[in-house]
Amino acid sequence: MDPVTLTVLAVVAVVLLVLGVIWLKGRPFAEGEVFRASRFSSGNRLLPTQVKVSPTSVVHYTPQWVGRFEQSIHMAHVASVRIDTNLVFSDVLIETTGGASPIHCKGHYKSDAVRLKQLIEEYQTAYYKTAPHS
């Protein structure tokens, strides 16, 4: 093969590899209710942040080119959930009671932000109904 063809093939292979990594890192990171920020929002173009809400915790997951950043807050330690609604997207701030860093997610669709807040409130209500009182 001539050098031009090899160069073109190498560039195509690298582009396909990068697109494959972007696709793999953008998939939901877990089963269940996972809310992924829009790729059209600022800071989420290639590797969108995700939030998983389960009956026991809220997990903020941000994929990185190598590895990931993950923060978890137990449902009993969620102090408040705030939604800042913009024209198209919403930012969600989940504060804790334990002094840990709050979860700040940017670029979720409005309906996802509202559903996220609703789920947290439902799970907290269920948690405190069944939690032993001292």
Side-chain angles (χ1 to χ4, degrees), residues 58-69:
V58 178
V59 179
H60 181 225
Y61 174 88
T62 304
Q64 299 171 343
W65 288 107
V66 177
R68 67 182 181 270
F69 173 77

Side-chain angles (χ1 to χ4, degrees), residues 50-121:
Q50 301 177 37
V51 178
K52 179 182 186 316
V53 179
S54 73
T56 57
S57 65
V58 178
V59 179
H60 181 225
Y61 174 88
T62 304
Q64 299 171 343
W65 288 107
V66 177
R68 67 182 181 270
F69 173 77
E70 197 170 315
Q71 179 183 1
S72 178
I73 300 174
H74 192 276
M75 200 56 69
H77 297 289
V78 173
S80 67
V81 180
R82 289 190 284 169
I83 300 174
D84 181 13
T85 303
N86 299 310
L87 185 60
V88 177
F89 301 114
S90 296
D91 298 341
V92 179
L93 181 68
I94 303 168
E95 294 184 346
T96 69
T97 58
S101 299
I103 292 176
H104 192 196
C105 317
K106 296 182 177 187
H108 290 277
Y109 290 106
K110 291 178 186 180
S111 60
D112 284 351
V114 169
R115 177 69 180 143
L116 193 148
K117 182 177 187 279
Q118 178 187 27
L119 272 175
I120 291 172
E121 290 172 348

Side-chain angles (χ1 to χ4, degrees), residues 5-48:
T5 305
L6 286 175
T7 304
V8 169
L9 287 175
V11 168
V12 168
V14 169
V15 167
L16 289 175
L17 179 66
V18 169
L19 290 175
V21 169
I22 291 170
W23 178 77
L24 284 172
K25 296 276 187 171
R27 295 180 308 160
F29 75 99
E31 297 291 322
E33 294 272 1
V34 177
F35 301 93
R36 186 173 52 189
S38 171
R39 290 189 189 268
F40 295 114
S41 64
S42 176
N44 293 304
R45 303 260 189 259
L46 297 177
L47 305 172

